[in-house]
Amino acid sequence: MTLVLAASGLYKFYHSGDEETAALRGVDLSLEAGSFTALMGPSGSGKSTLLACLAGLDDPDGGSVSVCGDIISRRPEPHRARLRARSIGMLMQNGNLLEHLSVTDNMRLQQLIAGKDSEKTRIDLLERLGLGHRAHALPSQLSGGESARAGLAVALSPAPALLICDEPTAEVDADAEQDIIGLLLQQSERGVAVLVATHSDLLAKATGTVIRLDDGKIMP
Ligand code: ADP
Ligand code: MG
């Protein structure tokens, strides 16, 4: 089995005024190629913080993260950005589309950053996501369900080894939820390690493993 992600002993603290919040308190997590994992837990349990640390968008205060054998934690931002572009697709809670670019140009930008420009991949992904007719739409012209799928299309454009999604079905109707679940499943079957924070039981049931986070710790 190929280990795609290895994280150990992750701690993360937020400070505001005199208050300190321990958002992560010693999290260990590893993901193999082709795995499909749901991260569940109440609001405020640390899911988004964990995903951001795993993706190298944020730096843990303790512990380490490596992706495809390269350490991404506590590295200068340009180094993290390079590893992210090469290996990680991300769909964050607030979306990942640039407003002034069409869906297909958003995808192309992501591919160019990763050095993997491919029109065929863009067309394939848009077709599979039922967005073929929306390729040239601007993000503001998309419905909620289309936005979520377009965000996924962008995350998947550079063919990442690791796909991280923060509540990808939170804003979509039941049909779009099924489409997204199907696509995530398909990605894991193709060998991508897929990790999804979610409150959806339907989505969790489709995964192979459910990890529960509570107050910054993984529950046994
Ligand atoms: P979840 O995604 O599970 O809802 P978060 O990772 O967003 O949880 O938050 C975990 C904890 O960290 C919460 O107590 C939240 O209030 C706090 N937190 C998250 N982001 C920040 C921040 N930027 N500044 C201060 N506290 C934060
Ligand atoms: Mg969150």
Side-chain angles (χ1 to χ4, degrees), residues 58-209:
D58 205 346
D59 225 5
D61 294 307
S64 72
V65 179
S66 67
V67 177
C68 299
D70 290 309
I71 293 177
I72 193 168
S73 52
R74 302 194 204 203
R75 292 285 185 268
E77 171 53 25
H79 184 95
R80 284 191 269 162
R82 242 188 338 269
L83 293 178
R84 253 199 321 271
R86 193 173 69 205
S87 306
I88 308 174
M90 265 174 318
L91 180 61
M92 297 325 273
Q93 235 167 339
N94 50 8
N96 52 348
L97 300 167
L98 294 177
E99 286 299 328
H100 61 288
L101 293 180
S102 68
V103 173
T104 193
D105 284 344
N106 265 284
M107 296 171 76
R108 178 145 195 254
L109 176 64
Q110 209 62 37
Q111 291 181 328
L112 290 172
I113 293 171
K116 296 179 183 173
D117 189 8
S118 162
E119 186 177 19
K120 182 178 182 309
T121 302
R122 293 197 293 278
I123 292 173
D124 283 355
L125 271 173
L126 287 169
E127 283 303 322
R128 269 195 286 143
L129 283 161
L131 286 172
H133 61 302
R134 305 302 271 146
H136 299 288
L138 289 171
S140 60
Q141 297 167 326
L142 302 175
S143 71
E146 286 174 341
S147 287
R149 284 177 286 149
L152 257 186
V154 170
L156 290 170
S157 295
L162 172 64
L163 176 65
I164 293 178
C165 304
D166 200 352
E167 304 200 22
T169 62
E171 318 266 337
V172 307
D173 63 23
D175 281 350
E177 180 171 37
Q178 281 296 355
D179 290 347
I180 290 172
I181 291 171
L183 187 91
L184 296 174
L185 204 52
Q186 188 183 55
Q187 289 300 315
S188 69
E189 282 162 359
R190 291 177 170 205
V192 178
V194 180
L195 176 64
V196 184
T198 188
H199 291 287
S200 160
D201 290 325
L202 202 63
L203 172 48
K205 278 204 190 90
T207 67
T209 310

Side-chain angles (χ1 to χ4, degrees), residues 41-62:
S43 283
S45 57
K47 301 183 298 295
S48 294
T49 300
L50 176 58
L51 296 188
C53 286
L54 297 179
L57 285 176
D58 205 346
D59 225 5
D61 294 307

